[in-house]
Structures are given as C-alpha cells and as structure tokens.
Amino acid sequence: MTEDGRPGRGGGPGGVQSLHRALDVLEALSAAGGTASLSDLAAACRLPLPTLHRLAATLAGRGYLRQLPDRRYCLGSRLVPLGGAAHALLGERALPVLGRLAELTGESANLAVLTQGSAEYVAQATGSHAMRIFTEVGNRVALHCTGVGKALLASVPAAQTRRLIEAAALTARTPTTITDPAALHAEIALIRTRGYALDEGEMEIGVRCVAVGIPGALPMAVSVSGPASRMSDELVGTAVSALRAASADLAARLS
C-alpha cells in the first residue's frame, strides 16, 4: 500500500509483477468496501483497463472475486476461510498480551482489525469483572462510535480515513454518538495528537472504552472496555499507559 492508503504499483524488487498486481486488486476492492467497478479498480491500482480485466477474470475464475449482475466485482467466497484462519492466528498470538491487560485493569481487553469499513473483534481476554457487551470475538462494529473503530480511523493514512468516513452511515447508536462528519474528523485529529481513542457510551449506553492503534501493514487496534461506573478516569489513565506498551508488543508479535 502507498502512503495515502492506495495499493502500490505491482512488481516490487524481486517480486512477481502479476502477483503484486493481483494482490493490489484485492486490497483495492477491500478498501472500497468489498465492491467496485473495473474502472474504479483500474484507477485505484493505476493499471490499464485491459490488464485489470484479465486479472479480475482470473481471480473470479478461482473464486477470489465474483462478478455481480451490474458487472461490478465483489470479494469472493474463497477469501472467507483464508480470512478466518488469519484472524484465528492473530487472536492466538495476541492472547498473552491481552491477558496481561485484562489482569492489570480487571476489564476486558480486545483486539480488532479493520474489515470492509468496520472494526471486527478477533481476540478477547476477559478481566475479573467480565460483562457481556458488543466486544465479543467475531462481532463487527461501526468505526465512528467505538473506541477501536476511532483508533483504526486515526491509524490509517488521512486519505483512507476520509474515504471510510464518506462511506459510513454515521448512525446514532446513543445520544453521545458522533454523527457529523466534520465533528468526527476533528475527533480523529485529536486522537492522532493524544495517541488514544475514547468511546464515551457512543456505541452502548453505560459502556466506556479506551483504545490505541497498532502500527503495521494491517490496521489493528487494542482496547480495554467495561461499564462506565468502573472505567474511571484513573483506570483509563492506567489503561492508556498499558495499551501503548501492548501496542508495541503486538506490533512485534503480529508483524
């Protein structure tokens, strides 16, 4: 990927150009939300339309893409088991770090990844005060109203942040949900400055979350979440320090 979040030109040093280009197509389609026209993909990948057509036809023939009735392409079902296996491995490698966070704070510690315009929880360690909330493994949540979601928006390149916000519905889940794009951009700028994101009951009333992005090629975030009655400012401060250390640890483990 380039610095602005676009797929890079295929054919890096020592690589196979056609493979680079095929991966660029998959990354561009994922960044577009999973569905796009050939012309949009050609522009995103900076490839001639005939070349893009051949790549798409090959990927569709293997089940990694699927052509829709309106002639646009979407991600194919052959990617599902690959993604599931990758997420399971991520979760397995992250659990020791999440376990330490949960033990320190007494609350749930979570790992989430950016998946087709949403945040998907792929691992969790429950604390001594575990409660059933929306952070269960496998759940996908909106980016604009969750701690991990806003941390993900702040961790990707600015151009990708703009595209993700433009494509989002910004639905109000609670009275504190940010639904104005300008206000959300301002919130993301603040998160980039201070280094962590907060969810102040924006996804679920009475739940508070603090999250930090994880550096690396795959957008990921780690968080601690629990009831607002227990997630005091003091605990949030403790969690921020621990999350920053956990982010560096996870970046090394998951790279």
Side-chain angles (χ1 to χ4, degrees), residues 40-58:
D40 288 340
L41 288 173
C45 298
R46 293 170 291 177
L47 290 172
L49 196 56
T51 300
L52 198 287
H53 186 274
R54 290 194 298 272
L55 288 168
T58 301

Side-chain angles (χ1 to χ4, degrees), residues 156-223:
V156 299
Q160 188 175 359
T161 301
R162 288 194 297 272
R163 290 196 297 271
L164 287 166
I165 291 176
E166 287 170 0
L170 303 188
T171 303
R173 298 297 301 261
T174 75
T176 59
T177 304
I178 299 173
T179 58
D180 176 65
L184 183 56
H185 278 291
E187 174 83 353
I188 300 309
L190 174 62
I191 292 166
R192 287 191 172 115
T193 299
R194 71 185 179 193
Y196 64 91
L198 286 171
D199 164 11
E200 301 283 13
E202 298 157 50
M203 174 69 179
E204 185 175 324
I205 293 174
V207 175
R208 197 179 194 198
C209 174
V210 57
V212 170
I214 300 170
L218 174 65
M220 296 182 288
V222 59
S223 71

